Coordinates of all heavy atoms in Angstrom, one line a residue:
R1 N -7.5 -1.4 6.1 CA -6.7 -0.4 6.7 C -5.5 -0.1 5.9 O -5.1 1.0 5.6 CB -6.4 -0.7 8.2 CG -5.4 0.3 8.8 CD -5.2 -0.1 10.3 NE -4.8 -1.4 10.5 CZ -3.5 -1.8 10.4 NH1 -2.6 -1.0 10.2 NH2 -3.2 -3.1 10.6
L2 N -4.8 -1.2 5.5 CA -3.5 -1.1 4.8 C -3.8 -0.5 3.4 O -3.0 0.3 2.9 CB -2.8 -2.4 4.7 CG -2.3 -3.0 6.0 CD1 -1.8 -4.4 5.8 CD2 -1.2 -2.1 6.6
Q3 N -4.9 -0.9 2.8 CA -5.2 -0.3 1.4 C -5.4 1.2 1.5 O -5.0 2.0 0.7 CB -6.4 -1.0 0.8 CG -6.1 -2.4 0.3 CD -7.3 -3.0 -0.3 OE1 -8.5 -2.6 0.0 NE2 -7.1 -4.0 -1.2
A4 N -6.0 1.6 2.6 CA -6.3 3.1 2.8 C -4.9 3.8 3.0 O -4.7 4.9 2.4 CB -7.2 3.3 4.0
R5 N -4.0 3.2 3.8 CA -2.7 3.8 4.0 C -1.9 3.8 2.7 O -1.1 4.7 2.4 CB -1.9 3.0 5.1 CG -2.4 3.3 6.5 CD -1.6 2.4 7.5 NE -0.2 2.4 7.2 CZ 0.6 1.4 7.7 NH1 0.1 0.5 8.5 NH2 1.9 1.4 7.4
A6 N -2.1 2.8 1.9 CA -1.2 2.6 0.7 C -1.5 3.6 -0.4 O -0.8 3.7 -1.4 CB -1.4 1.1 0.1
V7 N -2.7 4.3 -0.3 CA -3.0 5.2 -1.4 C -1.9 6.3 -1.6 O -1.7 6.7 -2.7 CB -4.4 5.9 -1.1 CG1 -4.7 7.0 -2.0 CG2 -5.5 4.8 -1.2
T8 N -1.3 6.7 -0.5 CA -0.3 7.7 -0.6 C 0.9 7.2 -1.4 O 1.7 8.0 -2.0 CB 0.2 8.1 0.8 OG1 0.7 7.0 1.5 CG2 -0.9 8.8 1.6
K9 N 1.2 5.9 -1.4 CA 2.3 5.3 -2.2 C 1.9 4.9 -3.5 O 2.6 5.0 -4.5 CB 2.9 4.1 -1.4 CG 4.0 4.5 -0.4 CD 4.7 3.2 0.0 CE 5.9 3.6 0.9 NZ 6.7 2.5 1.2
F10 N 0.7 4.3 -3.7 CA 0.3 3.6 -4.9 C -0.9 4.2 -5.6 O -1.3 3.7 -6.6 CB 0.1 2.1 -4.6 CG 1.3 1.4 -4.1 CD1 1.4 1.1 -2.8 CD2 2.3 1.1 -4.9 CE1 2.5 0.4 -2.3 CE2 3.4 0.4 -4.5 CZ 3.5 0.1 -3.1
G11 N -1.5 5.2 -5.0 CA -2.7 5.9 -5.7 C -3.8 4.9 -5.8 O -4.1 4.0 -5.0
E12 N -4.4 4.9 -7.0 CA -5.6 4.1 -7.3 C -5.3 2.6 -7.4 O -6.2 1.8 -7.2 CB -6.3 4.6 -8.5 CG -5.4 4.4 -9.8 CD -6.1 5.0 -11.0 OE1 -7.1 5.8 -10.9 OE2 -5.6 4.7 -12.1
F13 N -4.0 2.3 -7.6 CA -3.6 0.9 -7.7 C -3.7 0.2 -6.4 O -3.8 -1.1 -6.3 CB -2.2 0.8 -8.2 CG -2.0 1.3 -9.6 CD1 -1.4 2.6 -9.8 CD2 -2.4 0.6 -10.7 CE1 -1.3 3.1 -11.1 CE2 -2.2 1.1 -12.0 CZ -1.7 2.3 -12.2
A14 N -3.7 0.9 -5.2 CA -3.8 0.3 -3.9 C -5.0 -0.5 -3.7 O -5.0 -1.5 -3.0 CB -3.7 1.4 -2.8
D15 N -6.1 -0.2 -4.4 CA -7.4 -0.9 -4.2 C -7.4 -2.3 -4.7 O -8.2 -3.1 -4.2 CB -8.5 -0.1 -4.8 CG -8.9 1.2 -4.2 OD1 -8.5 1.4 -3.0 OD2 -9.5 2.1 -4.8
E16 N -6.5 -2.6 -5.6 CA -6.4 -3.9 -6.1 C -5.2 -4.7 -5.6 O -4.9 -5.8 -6.1 CB -6.3 -3.9 -7.7 CG -7.6 -3.2 -8.3 CD -8.8 -4.0 -8.0 OE1 -8.8 -5.3 -8.0 OE2 -9.9 -3.4 -7.7
M17 N -4.5 -4.2 -4.7 CA -3.3 -4.9 -4.2 C -3.5 -5.4 -2.7 O -4.4 -4.9 -2.0 CB -2.1 -3.9 -4.2 CG -1.7 -3.4 -5.5 SD -0.4 -2.2 -5.5 CE 1.0 -3.2 -5.0
L18 N -2.7 -6.3 -2.3 CA -2.7 -6.8 -1.0 C -1.4 -6.4 -0.3 O -0.4 -6.2 -1.0 CB -2.9 -8.3 -0.9 CG -4.2 -8.9 -1.4 CD1 -4.2 -10.4 -1.3 CD2 -5.4 -8.3 -0.7
F19 N -1.3 -6.3 1.0 CA -0.2 -5.8 1.7 C 0.1 -6.5 3.0 O -0.8 -7.2 3.5 CB -0.4 -4.3 2.0 CG -0.7 -3.4 0.8 CD1 -2.0 -3.1 0.5 CD2 0.3 -3.0 0.0 CE1 -2.3 -2.3 -0.6 CE2 0.1 -2.2 -1.1 CZ -1.2 -1.9 -1.4
T20 N 1.3 -6.3 3.5 CA 1.6 -6.6 4.9 C 2.1 -5.2 5.5 O 2.5 -4.4 4.7 CB 2.7 -7.6 5.1 OG1 4.0 -7.1 4.6 CG2 2.4 -8.9 4.4
P21 N 2.0 -5.0 6.8 CA 2.4 -3.7 7.3 C 3.9 -3.4 7.0 O 4.2 -2.3 6.5 CB 2.2 -3.9 8.8 CG 1.1 -4.9 8.9 CD 1.3 -5.8 7.8
D22 N 4.8 -4.4 7.2 CA 6.2 -4.2 6.9 C 6.4 -4.1 5.4 O 7.2 -3.3 5.0 CB 7.1 -5.3 7.5 CG 7.1 -5.3 9.0 OD1 7.1 -4.1 9.6 OD2 7.2 -6.3 9.7
G23 N 5.7 -4.9 4.7 CA 5.9 -4.8 3.2 C 5.5 -3.5 2.6 O 6.1 -3.0 1.8
L24 N 4.4 -2.9 3.2 CA 4.0 -1.6 2.7 C 5.0 -0.5 3.1 O 5.3 0.3 2.3 CB 2.6 -1.3 3.3 CG 2.1 0.1 3.0 CD1 2.0 0.4 1.5 CD2 0.7 0.3 3.7
E25 N 5.5 -0.6 4.3 CA 6.5 0.4 4.7 C 7.8 0.3 3.9 O 8.4 1.3 3.5 CB 6.9 0.1 6.2 CG 7.9 1.2 6.8 CD 8.2 0.9 8.2 OE1 7.6 0.1 8.8 OE2 9.2 1.5 8.7
Q26 N 8.2 -0.9 3.5 CA 9.5 -1.1 2.8 C 9.3 -0.9 1.3 O 10.3 -0.7 0.6 CB 10.0 -2.5 3.1 CG 10.4 -2.7 4.6 CD 10.6 -4.2 4.9 OE1 11.1 -4.9 4.1 NE2 10.2 -4.6 6.1
A27 N 8.1 -1.0 0.8 CA 7.9 -1.0 -0.7 C 8.3 0.3 -1.3 O 8.1 1.4 -0.7 CB 6.5 -1.3 -1.0
S28 N 8.9 0.3 -2.5 CA 9.1 1.5 -3.3 C 7.8 2.1 -3.6 O 6.9 1.5 -4.1 CB 9.9 1.1 -4.6 OG 11.1 0.5 -4.3
R29 N 7.7 3.4 -3.4 CA 6.4 4.1 -3.8 C 6.4 4.1 -5.3 O 7.4 3.9 -6.0 CB 6.4 5.5 -3.2 CG 7.4 6.5 -3.6 CD 7.2 7.8 -2.9 NE 5.9 8.4 -3.2 CZ 5.0 8.7 -2.2 NH1 5.3 8.5 -1.0 NH2 3.8 9.2 -2.6

C-alpha cells in the first residue's frame, strides 16, 4: 500500500524502496 502511495513522490523508484507511513509523509519528494 505504501509503495503505491509513494509513486506520487518517488515515481518508479518507489517500487524498490521501503517505507513507514510517517516516513513517507515527511520525506522530501
Side-chain angles (χ1 to χ4, degrees):
R1 172 174 56 84
L2 292 174
Q3 285 181 339
R5 283 175 46 196
V7 170
T8 59
K9 272 194 173 184
F10 299 104
E12 61 185 16
F13 297 101
D15 292 340
E16 297 299 321
M17 298 175 69
L18 297 180
F19 303 96
T20 67
D22 289 327
L24 175 57
E25 181 181 348
Q26 298 166 33
S28 300
R29 61 181 304 122

